[in-house]
Amino acid sequence: MPSNAKLHAYLHGQIQPLESAFLHVRDLSIQRGYGIFDYFKVQQGQPVFLADYLQRFYESARLMELAVPLATDALKDVIQQLIQVNHLPHSGIKMILTGGYSANGYDPGEPNLIILQQPLTLPTPEMIAQGIKIITYEYVREIPKAKTINYSTGIRLIKQIKEAGASDVLYQKNGVVTEFPRCNFFIVTQDDVVVTPDADVLLGVTRKNVLKAASQKYKIEERAVTLQDIAQAKEAFLTSTTKRILPVVQVDEIVVGNGKPGAVTLELLDDLVALEGRQ
Amino acid sequence: MPSNAKLHAYLHGQIQPLESAFLHVRDLSIQRGYGIFDYFKVQQGQPVFLADYLQRFYESARLMELAVPLATDALKDVIQQLIQVNHLPHSGIKMILTGGYSANGYDPGEPNLIILQQPLTLPTPEMIAQGIKIITYEYVREIPKAKTINYSTGIRLIKQIKEAGASDVLYQKNGVVTEFPRCNFFIVTQDDVVVTPDADVLLGVTRKNVLKAASQKYKIEERAVTLQDIAQAKEAFLTSTTKRILPVVQVDEIVVGNGKPGAVTLELLDDLVALEGRQ
């Protein structure tokens, strides 16, 4: 997040300068890491696939026993006001809902809703042209369908990822891969089936749109994906709101396909960009 | 935490009124639930077993790749200053170390160290006299040896615990029990062996002291404890810094022993209180 004094944020029921957006230390995010969030893109001043992100935000809140203080329409209004105030036509908006100010440092209080708008950090052209190397790590997120703020494992692994010369970490359990800390995972099989894990993953909005785009041209499958499947795959890629589609060319010591970004991957990236533009 | 305007806290390198202890929303605890903490008691103005708690605090920080901004002696000095300022002779002190102000909402910055002093909430005499009922839930903490601020699962289960008429939740995996969100677990076997789980648990300071006290009179074992072991046990109890020892008389549908707090449990509670007084 930049220290841009002109940016505004929503907190404690009002839009205010980002620089003055503070939470008291008794908030349950600080005390107990308790909260959920969601994040969507703004392009040409318009939220992209907003309905999907809002639906997931409320669902995460429900799964974590938190009440969102604003109904959908009121939340949309705040988002529109923030977009108008900040003048960031291409940006990301993050909504965080914490466990609120706790009386005893454990039991949730009234949830605090924070909405932040920030510039987008996109993958470099080199990352798309060359693809990325990733490592794997044995872990399953606690409540996979909820987008909680718990990134204890992902952030703790940042050093290990760097030391391996990799760009990200793919979680796996007993050889079955699931997701990245912030992205979903796909493979393309030798016979052009586009496959993504079906269990223990966050239901990414970009994942959904890529499946939709892929289904126009290819067979798609949501099913278990193993390290063995990756070794035999033609292509692999990750998806996320900011990264869209990023080719994965190496997983641990496994070189995927011919070790270069694949044709299906790059075609789906084009299709996804077109889909974003149409909505 | 009370809204006592006279209480002071340590934040951003200085002791200040608790009411003004705020973190900017870009802190990684708020953005990603990333941080560690520890908590010890103050009795008659003196920290109890401080060396053990500080050692664990630094160890949690190391495991989570966070640098504590103060060395041990400087941290002890701050704690002493806080105790003098707050005049709370019987209290708890919580040290929280967050991932700090993150430039991009993911990579840690310079960790923020927060130190809070607060009144103690002790178990009621009824809870000790009657013992408590607990439920179990299948979960293993991500990095059991680190006292992270991640309580996503424990706090999400508060409602479920209440609905079951229980007081806490014991984590288990495939029938092997480990720990509570904030307490360790012990059983006393029919032949008076005091047993506590050895794997996938936080190494509680009270756990250590109870093992020490128990070893004076009984055989002690640190090993796997199953639900079957609980069904056959004579007594069960939990340990924590604030709760000391609390008898557990029912686990899900399993009544422990004769369903009443046991003699060994209550004897160990006396021994623990004595041990606290001697240190």
Side-chain angles (χ1 to χ4, degrees), chain A residues 174-224:
Chain A
N174 302 324
V176 177
V177 303
T178 51
E179 61 185 358
F180 298 83
R182 296 178 287 177
C183 309
N184 288 114
F185 181 69
F186 283 76
I187 59 170
V188 182
T189 66
Q190 294 295 340
D191 49 350
D192 286 344
V193 183
V194 176
V195 187
T196 193
D198 61 338
D200 290 334
V201 299
L202 185 80
L203 296 175
V205 175
T206 308
R207 173 185 181 277
K208 173 181 152 179
N209 286 320
V210 167
L211 284 171
K212 186 175 166 185
S215 70
Q216 306 295 310
K217 300 174 177 173
Y218 303 101
K219 190 165 173 240
I220 61 170
E221 285 178 6
E222 295 177 68
R223 60 159 167 91

Side-chain angles (χ1 to χ4, degrees), chain A residues 1 32 94 103 142 149 153, chain B residues 1 31-32 103 142 149 153:
Chain A
M1 226 159 302
R32 303 287 176 176
K94 185 186 261 194
E142 288 177 32
I149 60 169
T153 295
Chain B
M1 227 158 303
Q31 296 271 335
R32 303 286 176 177
E142 288 179 31
I149 61 170
T153 295

Side-chain angles (χ1 to χ4, degrees), chain A residues 12 22 26 32 46 57 90-91 95 125 142 158-159 165 194 226 229 232 240 242 245 262 264:
Chain A
H12 300 321
F22 287 84
R26 72 178 183 274
R32 303 287 176 176
Q46 293 301 317
F57 183 64
H90 296 276
S91 54
M95 307 172 289
E142 288 177 32
I158 289 175
K159 192 177 161 194
V194 176
T226 65
D229 291 331
Q232 294 168 354
S240 87
T242 46
I245 289 178
V264 176

Side-chain angles (χ1 to χ4, degrees), chain B residues 21 28 50 60 63-64 82 124 157 164 168 171 190 235 260:
Chain B
L28 215 52
L50 181 60
S60 295
L63 288 169
M64 298 304 283
L82 204 59
T124 61
L157 294 174
D168 212 333
Y171 296 140
Q190 294 294 341
E235 306 178 20
K260 292 176 185 167

